Amino acid sequence: MRAMIFDLDGVLVDTAHFHYQAWKRLAREWFDMDLTPEDNERFKGVNREACMHMLCEMADVNLERARFEQGMALKNAWYVNLVNGMTPADVLPGARAFVERQKQAGVLCAIGSASKNCSLVLERTGLQGLFDAVSDGTVVTRAKPDPEVFVTAARMLQVLPARCVVFEDAQAGIEAARAGGMRCCAIGQPHNLQGYDWIFPSLQAAGSFFDDLRST
Ligand code: BG6
Ligand code: MG
Protein backbone atom coordinates (compact mmCIF):
# COMPACT_ATOMS: atom_id res chain seq x y z
CA MET A 1 0.00 0.00 0.00
CA ARG A 2 1.76 3.12 -1.28
CA ALA A 3 -1.19 5.49 -1.56
CA MET A 4 -4.65 6.22 -0.24
CA ILE A 5 -7.31 7.98 -2.28
CA PHE A 6 -10.16 9.55 -0.36
CA ASP A 7 -13.59 10.40 -1.64
CA LEU A 8 -14.56 13.77 -0.14
CA ASP A 9 -18.33 13.98 0.44
CA GLY A 10 -19.40 11.54 3.14
CA VAL A 11 -15.88 10.23 3.83
CA LEU A 12 -13.86 13.25 4.97
CA VAL A 13 -16.60 15.83 5.41
CA ASP A 14 -20.23 15.78 6.31
CA THR A 15 -21.58 17.21 3.05
CA ALA A 16 -23.58 14.19 1.85
CA HIS A 17 -26.67 15.49 3.66
CA PHE A 18 -26.24 18.95 2.04
CA HIS A 19 -26.34 17.37 -1.43
CA TYR A 20 -29.41 15.43 -0.33
CA GLN A 21 -31.14 18.54 1.04
CA ALA A 22 -30.54 20.45 -2.19
CA TRP A 23 -31.73 17.64 -4.51
CA LYS A 24 -34.74 17.03 -2.26
CA ARG A 25 -35.71 20.69 -2.51
CA LEU A 26 -35.41 20.66 -6.31
CA ALA A 27 -37.46 17.44 -6.52
CA ARG A 28 -40.20 18.99 -4.38
CA GLU A 29 -40.26 22.44 -6.01
CA TRP A 30 -39.98 21.34 -9.63
CA PHE A 31 -41.58 17.91 -9.74
CA ASP A 32 -43.72 17.76 -6.58
CA MET A 33 -41.81 14.63 -5.69
CA ASP A 34 -40.52 13.42 -2.34
CA LEU A 35 -36.92 12.20 -2.57
CA THR A 36 -36.27 9.54 0.09
CA PRO A 37 -32.99 8.57 1.79
CA GLU A 38 -33.11 5.32 -0.24
CA ASP A 39 -33.35 7.31 -3.51
CA ASN A 40 -30.45 9.40 -2.29
CA GLU A 41 -28.15 6.38 -1.99
CA ARG A 42 -28.13 6.26 -5.82
CA PHE A 43 -27.16 9.94 -6.03
CA LYS A 44 -24.12 9.53 -3.79
CA GLY A 45 -20.78 9.69 -5.57
CA VAL A 46 -22.44 10.47 -8.91
CA ASN A 47 -21.64 13.77 -10.63
CA ARG A 48 -24.11 16.64 -10.87
CA GLU A 49 -25.22 16.07 -14.43
CA ALA A 50 -25.76 12.33 -13.93
CA CYS A 51 -27.78 13.09 -10.75
CA MET A 52 -29.96 15.54 -12.69
CA HIS A 53 -30.58 12.84 -15.32
CA MET A 54 -31.59 10.39 -12.58
CA LEU A 55 -33.97 12.93 -11.05
CA CYS A 56 -35.61 13.61 -14.43
CA GLU A 57 -35.99 9.88 -15.01
CA MET A 58 -37.58 9.42 -11.60
CA ALA A 59 -39.99 12.28 -12.31
CA ASP A 60 -40.53 10.90 -15.82
CA VAL A 61 -39.87 14.25 -17.48
CA ASN A 62 -37.74 15.20 -20.44
CA LEU A 63 -36.39 18.73 -19.94
CA GLU A 64 -34.96 20.84 -22.72
CA ARG A 65 -31.24 21.54 -22.25
CA ALA A 66 -31.59 25.11 -20.94
CA ARG A 67 -34.14 24.05 -18.30
CA PHE A 68 -32.00 21.02 -17.38
CA GLU A 69 -29.02 23.29 -16.79
CA GLN A 70 -31.16 25.71 -14.80
CA GLY A 71 -32.12 22.85 -12.49
CA MET A 72 -28.47 21.92 -11.92
CA ALA A 73 -27.55 25.57 -11.29
CA LEU A 74 -30.35 26.01 -8.77
CA LYS A 75 -29.42 22.83 -6.90
CA ASN A 76 -25.80 23.95 -6.86
CA ALA A 77 -26.64 27.43 -5.56
CA TRP A 78 -28.56 25.90 -2.63
CA TYR A 79 -25.71 23.45 -2.00
CA VAL A 80 -22.99 26.14 -2.12
CA ASN A 81 -25.01 28.23 0.30
CA LEU A 82 -24.91 25.36 2.80
CA VAL A 83 -21.19 24.74 2.16
CA ASN A 84 -20.41 28.40 2.80
CA GLY A 85 -21.59 27.89 6.37
CA MET A 86 -19.13 25.03 6.95
CA THR A 87 -16.16 25.20 9.32
CA PRO A 88 -13.37 22.79 10.32
CA ALA A 89 -15.90 21.35 12.80
CA ASP A 90 -17.67 19.75 9.82
CA VAL A 91 -14.74 17.46 9.12
CA LEU A 92 -15.95 13.99 10.09
CA PRO A 93 -14.63 12.79 13.47
CA GLY A 94 -11.10 11.41 13.25
CA ALA A 95 -10.81 12.00 9.49
CA ARG A 96 -8.09 14.63 9.62
CA ALA A 97 -6.06 12.66 12.16
CA PHE A 98 -6.40 9.53 10.00
CA VAL A 99 -4.92 11.29 6.95
CA GLU A 100 -2.17 12.93 8.99
CA ARG A 101 -1.14 9.56 10.44
CA GLN A 102 -0.91 7.95 7.01
CA LYS A 103 1.23 10.80 5.72
CA GLN A 104 3.57 10.58 8.70
CA ALA A 105 3.99 6.89 7.87
CA GLY A 106 4.97 7.78 4.28
CA VAL A 107 1.70 6.89 2.54
CA LEU A 108 0.76 9.33 -0.24
CA CYS A 109 -2.74 10.75 0.13
CA ALA A 110 -5.03 12.12 -2.59
CA ILE A 111 -8.60 13.24 -3.05
CA GLY A 112 -10.76 11.41 -5.63
CA SER A 113 -14.08 13.24 -5.76
CA ALA A 114 -16.76 13.79 -8.38
CA SER A 115 -17.46 17.26 -7.00
CA LYS A 116 -16.77 20.51 -8.81
CA ASN A 117 -17.01 22.21 -5.41
CA CYS A 118 -14.10 20.24 -4.00
CA SER A 119 -11.69 23.16 -3.48
CA LEU A 120 -14.42 25.27 -1.84
CA VAL A 121 -15.22 22.46 0.61
CA LEU A 122 -11.50 21.83 1.35
CA GLU A 123 -10.96 25.52 1.95
CA ARG A 124 -14.01 25.95 4.25
CA THR A 125 -13.09 22.94 6.33
CA GLY A 126 -9.39 23.76 6.58
CA LEU A 127 -8.32 20.60 4.75
CA GLN A 128 -6.64 22.32 1.81
CA GLY A 129 -2.92 21.62 1.64
CA LEU A 130 -3.26 18.27 3.41
CA PHE A 131 -3.29 16.19 0.22
CA ASP A 132 -0.51 15.29 -2.21
CA ALA A 133 -2.93 15.44 -5.15
CA VAL A 134 -6.53 16.43 -5.84
CA SER A 135 -8.50 14.69 -8.59
CA ASP A 136 -12.00 16.13 -8.72
CA GLY A 137 -14.94 17.05 -10.93
CA THR A 138 -12.99 19.93 -12.44
CA VAL A 139 -10.30 17.65 -13.92
CA VAL A 140 -12.27 14.55 -14.97
CA THR A 141 -15.27 14.16 -17.22
CA ARG A 142 -16.60 10.65 -16.62
CA ALA A 143 -18.86 9.99 -13.64
CA LYS A 144 -18.27 7.20 -11.10
CA PRO A 145 -18.65 4.17 -11.53
CA ASP A 146 -16.17 5.02 -14.29
CA PRO A 147 -12.71 4.78 -12.65
CA GLU A 148 -11.36 7.97 -14.28
CA VAL A 149 -11.30 10.06 -11.08
CA PHE A 150 -9.28 7.44 -9.14
CA VAL A 151 -7.00 6.47 -12.03
CA THR A 152 -6.22 10.18 -12.46
CA ALA A 153 -5.42 10.50 -8.73
CA ALA A 154 -3.07 7.48 -8.93
CA ARG A 155 -1.38 8.96 -11.98
CA MET A 156 -0.92 12.30 -10.21
CA LEU A 157 0.74 10.45 -7.33
CA GLN A 158 2.72 8.25 -9.73
CA VAL A 159 1.58 5.11 -7.94
CA LEU A 160 0.26 1.96 -9.62
CA PRO A 161 -3.48 1.32 -9.04
CA ALA A 162 -2.74 -2.04 -7.40
CA ARG A 163 -0.85 -0.19 -4.66
CA CYS A 164 -3.71 2.22 -3.89
CA VAL A 165 -6.57 1.89 -1.43
CA VAL A 166 -9.71 3.94 -2.07
CA PHE A 167 -12.02 5.13 0.74
CA GLU A 168 -15.61 5.49 -0.43
CA ASP A 169 -19.11 5.91 1.01
CA ALA A 170 -20.99 5.41 -2.29
CA GLN A 171 -21.81 2.27 -4.27
CA ALA A 172 -20.83 4.03 -7.52
CA GLY A 173 -17.45 4.87 -5.96
CA ILE A 174 -16.79 1.30 -4.80
CA GLU A 175 -17.47 0.10 -8.33
CA ALA A 176 -15.18 2.83 -9.73
CA ALA A 177 -12.32 1.73 -7.43
CA ARG A 178 -12.66 -1.90 -8.49
CA ALA A 179 -12.91 -0.97 -12.17
CA GLY A 180 -9.65 0.95 -11.72
CA GLY A 181 -7.90 -2.10 -10.23
CA MET A 182 -7.74 -0.68 -6.70
CA ARG A 183 -8.76 -2.07 -3.36
CA CYS A 184 -11.60 -0.31 -1.62
CA CYS A 185 -12.47 0.41 1.98
CA ALA A 186 -16.15 1.29 2.24
CA ILE A 187 -17.22 3.85 4.81
CA GLY A 188 -20.80 3.18 5.85
CA GLN A 189 -23.18 0.34 6.61
CA PRO A 190 -23.05 -3.13 5.00
CA HIS A 191 -26.79 -3.14 4.14
CA ASN A 192 -26.31 -0.22 1.70
CA LEU A 193 -23.05 -1.26 0.05
CA GLN A 194 -21.41 -4.22 -1.66
CA GLY A 195 -18.24 -5.25 -3.48
CA TYR A 196 -15.76 -3.65 -1.05
CA ASP A 197 -12.64 -5.22 0.47
CA TRP A 198 -13.24 -3.82 3.95
CA ILE A 199 -15.98 -1.78 5.58
CA PHE A 200 -15.99 0.53 8.60
CA PRO A 201 -18.62 3.00 9.80
CA SER A 202 -16.08 5.87 9.71
CA LEU A 203 -12.42 6.67 9.07
CA GLN A 204 -12.03 6.94 12.81
CA ALA A 205 -13.16 3.34 13.20
CA ALA A 206 -10.80 2.22 10.41
CA GLY A 207 -7.73 3.79 12.06
CA SER A 208 -6.14 0.93 13.98
CA PHE A 209 -6.89 -1.61 11.23
CA PHE A 210 -4.90 0.40 8.68
CA ASP A 211 -2.12 1.10 11.18
CA ASP A 212 -1.73 -2.69 11.56
CA LEU A 213 -2.03 -3.30 7.81
CA ARG A 214 0.75 -0.80 7.10
CA SER A 215 3.12 -2.44 9.53
CA THR A 216 2.62 -5.98 8.15
C1 BG6 B 1 -20.05 13.68 -4.99
C2 BG6 B 1 -21.32 13.54 -4.19
O1 BG6 B 1 -18.94 13.72 -4.15
O2 BG6 B 1 -20.08 14.87 -5.77
C3 BG6 B 1 -22.52 13.59 -5.12
O3 BG6 B 1 -21.30 12.31 -3.50
C4 BG6 B 1 -22.48 14.88 -5.94
O4 BG6 B 1 -23.69 13.54 -4.33
C5 BG6 B 1 -21.16 14.94 -6.69
O5 BG6 B 1 -23.55 14.91 -6.87
C6 BG6 B 1 -21.01 16.22 -7.53
O6 BG6 B 1 -20.88 17.33 -6.69
P1 BG6 B 1 -20.96 18.84 -7.16
O7 BG6 B 1 -20.48 19.58 -5.94
O8 BG6 B 1 -20.02 18.99 -8.32
O9 BG6 B 1 -22.35 19.12 -7.54
MG1 MG C 1 -19.07 10.29 -1.18
Side-chain angles (χ1 to χ4, degrees):
M1 183 176 54
R2 281 273 299 128
M4 291 182 172
I5 305 174
F6 298 86
D7 172 51
L8 177 69
D9 296 318
V11 170
L12 293 168
V13 291
D14 203 4
T15 40
H17 68 286
F18 290 162
H19 281 293
Y20 176 46
Q21 255 175 268
W23 285 122
K24 197 174 170 65
R25 182 169 170 191
L26 191 69
R28 194 178 327 105
E29 292 189 10
W30 276 32
F31 306 128
D32 196 24
M33 219 173 74
D34 193 27
L35 210 63
T36 67
E38 290 72 42
D39 297 328
N40 187 51
E41 283 303 313
R42 294 173 47 220
F43 283 58
K44 283 189 184 170
V46 175
N47 74 21
R48 202 180 307 164
E49 176 146 3
C51 288
M52 188 69 195
H53 277 298
M54 276 199 274
L55 188 65
C56 290
E57 250 173 51
M58 290 164 70
D60 199 19
V61 292
N62 200 351
L63 298 181
E64 62 175 45
R65 187 66 203 176
R67 183 79 176 141
F68 185 95
E69 279 174 13
Q70 196 189 352
M72 287 196 292
L74 202 52
K75 180 267 167 181
N76 193 53
W78 293 330
Y79 175 70
V80 166
N81 201 27
L82 293 167
V83 167
N84 275 328
M86 289 179 89
T87 71
D90 294 296
V91 176
L92 285 164
R96 189 187 177 96
F98 183 97
V99 177
E100 282 171 344
R101 227 170 36 251
Q102 308 312 318
K103 291 187 67 180
Q104 274 158 19
V107 175
L108 293 169
C109 292
I111 295 278
S113 165
S115 178
K116 289 186 160 77
N117 292 301
C118 198
S119 43
L120 175 68
V121 172
L122 291 175
E123 186 231 307
R124 288 282 160 200
T125 54
L127 292 174
Q128 80 275 51
L130 187 61
F131 294 90
D132 301 296
V134 176
S135 169
D136 66 14
T138 64
V139 296
V140 301
T141 52
R142 293 193 293 277
K144 298 173 187 176
D146 188 286
E148 186 186 11
V149 70
F150 295 138
V151 171
T152 302
R155 199 181 306 126
M156 286 170 163
L157 296 174
Q158 297 187 295
V159 175
L160 289 173
R163 306 200 65 188
C164 298
V165 176
V166 168
F167 293 83
E168 253 299 344
D169 70 320
Q171 187 57 39
I174 294 171
E175 287 163 22
R178 288 178 72 99
M182 300 173 191
R183 281 169 294 166
C184 185
C185 177
I187 300 297
Q189 303 302 325
H191 64 269
N192 284 328
L193 301 167
Q194 55 191 11
Y196 44 77
D197 295 282
W198 310 279
I199 187 164
F200 292 92
S202 63
L203 279 181
Q204 188 162 48
S208 55
F209 175 81
F210 281 94
D211 288 345
D212 292 347
L213 193 70
R214 259 195 342 260
S215 54
T216 55

